[in-house]
Amino acid sequence: GKDYVVKNIVGNTVVIPIGQAYMDGKSIMRLDTEGTFFVKHIVTSKGEEEILDLYSDLFSEDLETAKEKLDEFLEYGRKIGFIE
């Protein structure tokens, strides 16, 4: 979302609240490897199918598991306001 920025700090990907999210007391979030992958590819991919294919290849997961993990990430991101 527009109230967050993603930065790599000393090898860790973090989501930093800015603007209203900062004023509302939102915390900095450190992303794990999967979260970092999703953030990067949500921005650069051509769509969900491409993200799932890339995820499945990189993490050696079947497409169903990849879809479940992407859906969980998106749901969490929307819940906290990081993803619109």
Side-chain angles (χ1 to χ4, degrees):
K2 63 184 184 272
D3 288 337
Y4 294 87
V5 294
V6 178
K7 296 286 183 186
N8 186 304
I9 301 174
V10 194
N12 293 299
T13 303
V14 294
V15 178
I16 303 168
I18 60 173
Q20 190 61 47
Y22 175 78
M23 299 301 288
D24 290 344
K26 301 288 184 181
S27 299
I28 292 175
M29 297 167 283
R30 182 178 167 271
L31 299 178
D32 62 10
T33 303
E34 292 175 346
T36 301
F37 172 88
F38 287 135
V39 166
K40 176 182 176 186
H41 288 88
I42 287 169
V43 173
T44 62
S45 77
K46 295 180 180 81
E48 183 177 289
E49 186 174 325
E50 182 180 354
I51 294 171
L52 296 177
D53 286 340
L54 291 168
Y55 181 93
S56 180
D57 290 344
L58 182 64
F59 293 98
S60 301
E61 298 273 8
D62 60 64
L63 289 175
E64 183 178 325
T65 301
K67 172 85 169 117
E68 289 171 5
K69 290 187 176 185
L70 175 59
D71 288 347
E72 287 174 13
F73 180 80
L74 293 173
E75 181 180 333
Y76 177 74
R78 288 183 185 112
K79 179 180 175 183
I80 64 169
F82 166 58
I83 296 174
E84 296 175 348

